[in-house]
Amino acid sequence: MRINKLLSYAAGAGALLAVLAFTRSRVENNLAPEVTAKSSLIRTNNDATYRDLNKNGKMDVYEDVRQPIEKRVQDLLKQMTLEEKAGMMFYSPVRVNKDGTIEEQPAKDFLSSMSPVGITEIDKHHITHFNLFAVPAPDTLAMWYNRMQQYAEKTRLGIPLTIASDPRNQSGAGIFAMSAKTFSMWPDPLGLAAIGDDKLTEQFADISRQEYLAVGIRQGLHPQVDLATEPRWPRIAGTFGEDAALSSHMTIAYIKGYQGEKLGANSVAMMTKHFPGGGPQKDGLDPHFAFQKGEVYPGNNFKYHLIPFEAAFKAGTAAIMPYYGVPMGQQNVPEVGFSYNKAIITELLRKKYHYDGVVCTDWGLVTDTKLGSFNFVARAWGVEKLNTEERVQRIIDAGVDQLGGENLPDVIVKLVKEGKISEKRIDVSVARLLRLKFELGLFDNPFVDEKKTAGIVGSPEFMKAGQDAQRRSLTLLKNDNHTLPLAINKLKIYVKNINPQIAAQYGTVVNDPKQADIAIIRLQTPNYPIAETKGNFIAQLFHFGDLDFKGQALQDVLDLEKTVPTVVDIYLDRPAVIPEISKNAKALIANFGSSDTALLDVIFGKYKPGGHLPIEMPSSMEAVRNQKEDMPYDSKDPLYKFGYGLSY
């Protein structure tokens, strides 16, 4: 998957929802005005306006907005060549020029060097699905998007593009949150779970949906509904925590906010991940890397991890993404990666759950990726000895529709021509992919209104809603003798890892803790290099290893706590083991992606903390090591239990 830091390294919720929501309806008989303005293919036929996408001078069934979607899908499918079908089955990264142009430009940075130019891929490989990494300002991105759709319009059949992205509205959700400071900023999904308010989660998704739509992002490579049952796993910040019931509620609200009750022209399609649950990683090591390939179930708790996906199916998720890992010790399930695994994709997902939406692999399962002089090995776990063609065939045979992060349509064409895969099987997947494009209204109006983009993305109302959620997600774990809330502008305060200029709005900032009435320090769950990541600079960006503070890092915090009454805030991208720090703190707050201002507003009583832990806080590393990777809240004598949270 995309690695952002590598590449660029409530009260009132219901009322606000009512104000923000707008009708998700399809255009029925006439194309919207922006289509006419941007398309060169507008035609009329018996008072019906359409885009002559295949340039044949007549309105084909697939061009007719009045026709049922299934008829449109089948009409277009019959007109597609094998090469065009094969191109549909890949989700490719795309380079976005900073000036909004779409033509080839020299690669100026690391990201550009590894991402192809979109028009090259449209022409060469018939690619119609692209995912974004770093992007320019929203209005420039909207300009780029419209130009890309205009370019796609000129292809033989005029098939519109689908643009996707990882989360862009969370500032702290690990290495998979895309840097986008102009979008409204909200707490991590873990923070939404700490709030635990379905309406607030739906509100978040609805606002994010509007921002996505404004720049042309029509598919989200989220939500991540894995259950965080192994506390050392580095991807916990992107989850809704370890409780299946809570995660299920959040999942339904999240998908509803993006997709609506039914997919339509104002929906953003969700690709829920990582089926059948990526949480139970052995020792918390992630299967992005060859040093950890297996998901383990010592508590025989495989089915527990399926519960949030059942909620996603109920909510109508448009797509599913399996993870890289290998299911270990499961009866009648081969020990190969999930996307290579027919028992998981066809037998479990397709047959048992009757899921007929799109299934797309996680990124980079087939070919290695060259990152400068470093070779990022393909995650073909369990089938490493298969060659490229055999890997692609195995994935398609498993029941997958689309390959993420790959560019291999020629391989599919070759497999079909050699009789190793039938074109009928390819048609099944391409029909699913076309159906989703039609449901999203892309064939009728793929364009965005560039003039409105800047007023939507990061609007004051949206930013305020995100900041309010940041405050609500803050979780008060300790408040010794009612230390909090502090009196505003009456104390001398010492701050660490906080912007002093922001802190000065709440009290007199001093540079020596001995002169302070109170200290406020922000920490983050520790991250230690482990032997397995040596020489792998990508793996070193993941937060692996122990969860406790050690040595001088621990002593520095304890010394501060002994010098002056101290309020400790800790960002939990994974659970932290902090018994000594907690014992000596006057107050302890857990945060899941909150700004300095949001934190200080709560500490100084402008807002009340409202969060409850969506993960438990273990009391020792021994307790962590003795946990079973697939079991929720099974740490012995946790420091703070799942669901714990105070207020004032």
Side-chain angles (χ1 to χ4, degrees):
M1 289 300 299
R2 288 125 318 277
I3 303 180
N4 175 54
K5 292 183 181 177
L6 163 66
L7 299 177
S8 62
Y9 218 14
L16 184 55
L17 269 173
V19 173
L20 297 178
F22 59 83
T23 303
R24 295 168 163 96
S25 60
R26 274 178 72 227
V27 178
E28 286 302 331
N29 293 312
N30 294 293
L31 300 180
E34 57 265 31
V35 183
T36 306
K38 295 180 174 65
S39 175
S40 62
L41 302 177
I42 301 299
R43 306 288 185 269
T44 57
N45 182 22
N46 296 326
D47 297 326
T49 304
Y50 70 103
R51 290 197 299 152
D52 187 13
L53 294 171
N54 62 4
K55 299 87 172 168
N56 66 355
K58 65 178 184 179
M59 184 167 60
D60 290 74
V61 172
Y62 86 91
E63 297 164 344
D64 188 351
V65 68
R66 300 167 300 181
Q67 294 292 330
I69 284 178
E70 284 308 310
K71 284 188 176 182
R72 300 179 77 183
V73 168
Q74 293 305 316
D75 180 62
L76 178 54
L77 191 61
K78 291 174 183 177
Q79 297 189 43
M80 295 176 72
T81 65
L82 176 59
E83 289 75 14
E84 288 164 339
K85 294 174 184 177
M88 182 80 61
M89 296 177 68
F90 292 89
Y91 236 125
S92 300
V94 65
R95 187 190 310 177
V96 181
N97 295 333
K98 292 182 179 180
D99 59 1
T101 59
I102 63 174
E103 290 74 25
E104 180 83 50
Q105 291 184 6
K108 297 180 180 180
D109 52 36
F110 182 78
L111 173 61
S112 297
S113 68
M114 68 170 292
S115 299
V117 174
I119 59 174
T120 303
E121 294 306 299
I122 293 171
D123 291 336
K124 183 179 179 180
H125 289 133
H126 307 287
I127 302 297
T128 67
H129 294 79
F130 293 101
N131 74 281
L132 301 174
F133 291 151
V135 297
D139 52 354
T140 307
L141 178 59
M143 182 191 307
W144 169 87
Y145 169 80
N146 280 338
R147 288 171 174 173
M148 287 287 286
Q149 293 290 13
Q150 288 170 332
Y151 193 88
E153 210 180 39
K154 298 175 183 178
T155 61
R156 193 180 74 87
L157 295 172
I159 297 173
L161 308 180
T162 302
I163 305 298
S165 176
D166 273 303
R168 290 190 175 270
N169 294 83
Q170 282 98 17
S171 58
I175 56 179
F176 296 95
M178 297 289 104
S179 178
K181 296 185 183 301
T182 51
F183 284 68
S184 60
M185 287 291 105
W186 296 69
D188 299 341
L190 203 59
L192 295 176
I195 298 170
D197 183 337
D198 293 4
K199 290 184 178 179
L200 187 279
T201 297
E202 185 178 344
Q203 176 198 9
F204 153 75
D206 181 67
I207 287 175
S208 176
R209 173 188 64 83
Q210 295 178 60
E211 293 181 319
Y212 278 27
L213 287 175
V215 297
I217 298 172
R218 298 307 307 274
Q219 185 154 39
L221 305 177
H222 48 92
Q224 183 192 339
V225 304
D226 311 297
L227 295 174
T229 52
E230 165 48 62
R232 290 167 290 183
W233 189 39
R235 301 201 61 181
I236 288 176
T239 76
F240 296 121
E242 62 187 301
D243 182 78
L246 173 60
S247 182
S248 295
H249 284 291
M250 294 293 100
T251 297
I252 290 173
Y254 193 105
I255 293 173
K256 183 179 178 182
Y258 275 104
Q259 293 191 173
E261 297 292 345
K262 182 180 179 181
L263 284 169
N266 290 315
S267 299
V268 173
M270 291 288 96
M271 186 180 290
T272 303
K273 60 190 185 185
H274 303 87
F275 190 81
Q281 303 295 337
K282 183 173 174 57
D283 299 329
L285 301 177
D286 191 83
H288 271 81
F289 311 103
F291 54 71
Q292 163 53 21
K293 303 174 184 179
E295 297 196 12
V296 295
Y297 304 90
N300 195 30
N301 212 22
F302 179 90
K303 292 182 179 179
Y304 184 75
H305 292 261
L306 293 170
I307 295 174
F309 292 95
E310 294 169 354
F313 303 148
K314 180 180 179 181
T317 184
I320 287 288
M321 178 189 292
Y323 208 29
Y324 300 116
V326 175
M328 307 299 289
Q330 297 302 298
Q331 188 175 4
N332 299 321
V333 179
E335 293 186 352
V336 298
F338 288 122
S339 286
Y340 288 98
N341 206 313
K342 193 170 185 177
I344 296 296
I345 306 302
T346 294
E347 299 302 322
L348 180 59
L349 181 58
R350 297 291 194 198
K351 292 184 179 180
K352 179 178 179 179
Y353 285 116
H354 306 289
Y355 183 73
D356 194 38
V358 172
V359 176
C360 179
T361 74
D362 212 327
W363 266 231
L365 263 70
V366 179
T367 58
D368 296 355
T369 302
K370 280 286 185 180
L371 303 174
S373 60
F374 180 76
N375 189 45
F376 194 19
V377 178
R379 274 71 76 200
W381 309 142
V383 296
E384 292 91 341
K385 293 182 180 180
L386 297 183
N387 63 32
T388 296
E389 293 176 13
E390 291 168 334
R391 291 178 183 181
V392 172
Q393 182 179 355
R394 180 74 177 260
I395 288 170
I396 294 173
D397 284 345
V400 172
D401 301 304
Q402 197 168 36
L403 285 77
E406 300 283 0
N407 245 335
L408 301 167
D410 292 346
V411 172
I412 289 181
V413 171
K414 186 173 185 290
L415 288 168
V416 172
K417 289 184 176 180
E418 292 178 350
K420 295 178 180 178
I421 298 176
S422 71
E423 188 166 358
K424 185 177 180 180
R425 166 64 188 90
I426 298 302
D427 286 351
V428 171
S429 289
V430 174
R432 289 190 182 109
L433 295 162
L434 288 174
R435 187 177 299 119
L436 182 53
K437 286 181 185 285
F438 278 112
E439 288 173 334
L440 292 174
L442 289 168
F443 279 91
D444 307 321
N445 179 14
F447 302 108
V448 301
D449 189 338
E450 299 164 26
K451 295 179 181 179
K452 294 182 179 179
T453 301
I456 296 173
V457 180
S459 70
E461 294 85 357
F462 291 177
M463 295 296 282
K464 182 180 183 302
Q467 292 160 3
D468 286 346
Q470 290 180 32
R471 298 181 183 100
R472 285 187 65 186
S473 68
L474 289 163
T475 302
L476 182 62
L477 301 178
K478 181 180 180 181
N479 194 16
D480 193 21
N481 293 323
H482 302 287
T483 297
L484 302 183
L486 301 177
I488 194 167
N489 291 327
K490 292 184 179 181
L491 299 172
K492 290 183 288 184
I493 57 176
Y494 172 81
V495 297
K496 188 173 182 180
N497 302 325
I498 294 175
N499 187 327
Q501 293 179 329
I502 295 176
Q505 300 173 35
Y506 300 83
T508 302
V509 177
V510 298
N511 295 323
D512 185 349
K514 294 180 181 179
Q515 299 175 354
D517 299 310
I518 195 92
I520 305 172
I521 180 173
R522 303 200 77 170
L523 303 173
Q524 182 172 346
T525 299
N527 168 39
Y528 300 102
I530 59 176
E532 291 88 344
T533 65
K534 186 176 181 181
N536 188 332
F537 77 97
I538 299 176
Q540 290 170 4
L541 297 172
F542 282 66
H543 288 187
F544 288 120
D546 289 353
L547 304 170
D548 58 340
F549 288 80
K550 304 178 189 295
Q552 193 61 48
L554 173 61
Q555 194 59 51
D556 287 346
V557 178
L558 296 180
D559 287 346
L560 179 64
E561 291 178 324
K562 293 175 182 177
T563 301
V564 59
T566 301
V567 177
V568 176
D569 165 81
I570 184 163
Y571 170 63
L572 300 180
D573 64 337
R574 303 184 295 161
V577 176
I578 52 171
E580 305 96 336
I581 292 173
S582 174
K583 179 180 179 181
N584 291 282
K586 294 297 290 183
L588 176 64
I589 297 173
N591 95 73
F592 307 96
S594 293
S595 67
D596 287 349
T597 298
L599 173 67
L600 293 172
D601 278 350
V602 168
I603 288 175
F604 283 88
K606 288 187 175 182
Y607 292 82
K608 295 181 179 181
H612 294 81
L613 283 177
I615 47 176
E616 68 178 4
M617 299 273 281
S619 58
S620 69
M621 277 309 302
E622 180 183 7
V624 170
R625 286 187 281 268
N626 288 335
Q627 286 186 246
K628 294 179 179 179
E629 287 92 338
D630 59 332
M631 299 296 291
Y633 23 79
D634 68 330
S635 177
K636 183 179 180 180
D637 299 324
L639 184 66
Y640 295 103
K641 294 182 178 181
F642 169 86
Y644 185 80
L646 306 172
S647 192
Y648 42 79

